[in-house]
Amino acid sequence: AGTQRARAGARTSLHVPYGDGDREKLDIYFPRDPSGTFPVLVYIHGGYWQCLSKDESGFAAPPLVSQGVAVVAVGYDTAPKGHMDAMVLQVRRSLAFLVERYSGIRGVYLCGHSAGAHLAAMVLSTDWTEYGVVPDIKGRAVLVSGVYDLEPILHTYVNDALNMSREVAQRNSPMLCVTPAAPAAAACEVLVAVAQHDSPEFRRQSQEYGQALRAAGWSVSLLDLAGVDHFDIIEKLSEERYVLTQVGEELPSCLRA
């Protein structure tokens, strides 16, 4: 319902292909006056890398679009069709496509939930020289109830569809891929959010990943959000008075820094 309202209330470009894959598509919600330059929030959905899609991701758009921020929901090939290396590559390529295609983008802000937070964290570790373009991310990310170390899920049901080896899990674990922060990364903080009722493993990984980023020179805030669980923490993004939306309301001035 949130996505339907967003599509009805904004100028949209739906199913924009950034590659040839079935799910290599973007839904773009433009601000009401997209003339000139505008910041963009790129939202990467969760679903344990094997369910959900960009089509359920429009709920985050209305409060940001109304402030002059474009919102992009990223599609990627989920398992079992997609494997972990491919998903990480797809999300990175989607960012490169965005900044090449839309010259009006003046800053990129990342947001991901659960598996999407994992993929957003992998974007932060990208060596953009391989892509011929450098998205203006500068460490601006809201990572919500993410997974930052894939090894603990190797022997769980989650890996039944993913079929990851230990090597695949290691090279795609943000905890093991933290890169030193560029000087510009201090301009805005990486917000690592975790729900009060997230599992102990989610809470541990969020805390340890935040600490690892901070040790590498990133500017990090850890948000421990009371009264929510792993799923409704992201649903609250659509509620204008909620703390994550308040973070979003600071986005335009932050991106102009």
Side-chain angles (χ1 to χ4, degrees):
T3 294
Q4 290 174 343
R5 285 194 299 271
R7 290 178 174 179
R11 191 172 74 87
T12 60
S13 292
L14 303 178
H15 317 304
V16 177
Y18 65 86
D20 297 327
D22 290 342
R23 288 200 172 191
E24 292 185 0
K25 295 180 174 64
L26 307 173
D27 286 349
I28 305 173
Y29 302 82
F30 289 99
R32 290 168 186 169
D33 180 14
S35 59
T37 61
F38 50 87
V40 59
L41 181 139
V42 175
Y43 179 75
I44 306 170
H45 71 82
Y48 282 116
W49 306 276
Q50 54 197 288
C51 57
L52 300 181
S53 73
K54 67 174 177 56
D55 300 331
E56 295 90 20
S57 301
F59 65 90
L64 294 170
V65 167
S66 66
Q67 299 163 50
V69 180
V71 174
V72 176
V74 178
Y76 55 92
D77 286 320
T78 51
K81 179 178 181 180
H83 55 86
M84 188 59 68
D85 288 324
M87 285 183 260
V88 170
L89 178 61
Q90 285 176 326
V91 173
R92 288 170 168 168
R93 283 198 290 107
S94 77
L95 267 291
F97 168 84
L98 264 178
V99 298
E100 289 178 333
R101 172 78 176 268
Y102 299 99
S103 59
I105 293 174
R106 71 160 177 272
V108 177
Y109 198 90
L110 289 172
C111 180
H113 172 236
S114 192
H118 159 266
L119 293 170
M122 289 301 292
V123 168
L124 293 182
S125 70
T126 304
D127 178 1
W128 291 108
T129 59
E130 300 176 17
Y131 296 82
V133 64
V134 182
D136 185 21
I137 300 172
K138 296 181 179 177
R140 294 158 178 166
V142 179
L143 307 177
V144 184
S145 293
V147 181
Y148 308 109
D149 180 0
L150 299 182
E151 286 198 64
I153 69 174
L154 283 175
H155 303 294
T156 72
Y157 76 93
V158 175
N159 200 37
D160 291 347
L162 293 169
N163 197 28
M164 288 188 298
S165 66
R166 186 168 302 278
E167 291 73 23
V168 169
Q170 288 176 340
R171 68 172 170 258
N172 290 294
S173 287
M175 189 78 74
L176 303 178
C177 300
V178 173
T179 56
C188 287
E189 292 179 322
V190 178
L191 300 166
V192 181
V194 65
Q196 177 185 356
H197 302 301
D198 261 322
S199 72
E201 179 66 11
F202 274 104
R203 292 176 59 81
R204 178 189 70 81
Q205 288 204 15
S206 293
Q207 185 173 22
E208 292 186 3
Y209 181 60
Q211 291 170 344
L213 284 174
R214 191 173 287 139
W218 294 80
S219 182
V220 180
S221 284
L222 285 167
L223 298 177
D224 194 338
L225 301 172
V228 292
D229 63 25
H230 183 75
F231 299 99
D232 60 16
I233 185 174
I234 196 64
E235 292 172 5
K236 294 290 185 178
L237 268 174
S238 62
E239 296 183 12
E240 296 194 18
R241 290 183 175 84
Y242 195 67
V243 62
L244 284 182
T245 304
Q246 299 306 311
V247 169
E249 288 174 356
E250 298 170 5
L251 175 60
S253 60
C254 179
L255 284 170
R256 293 188 186 106

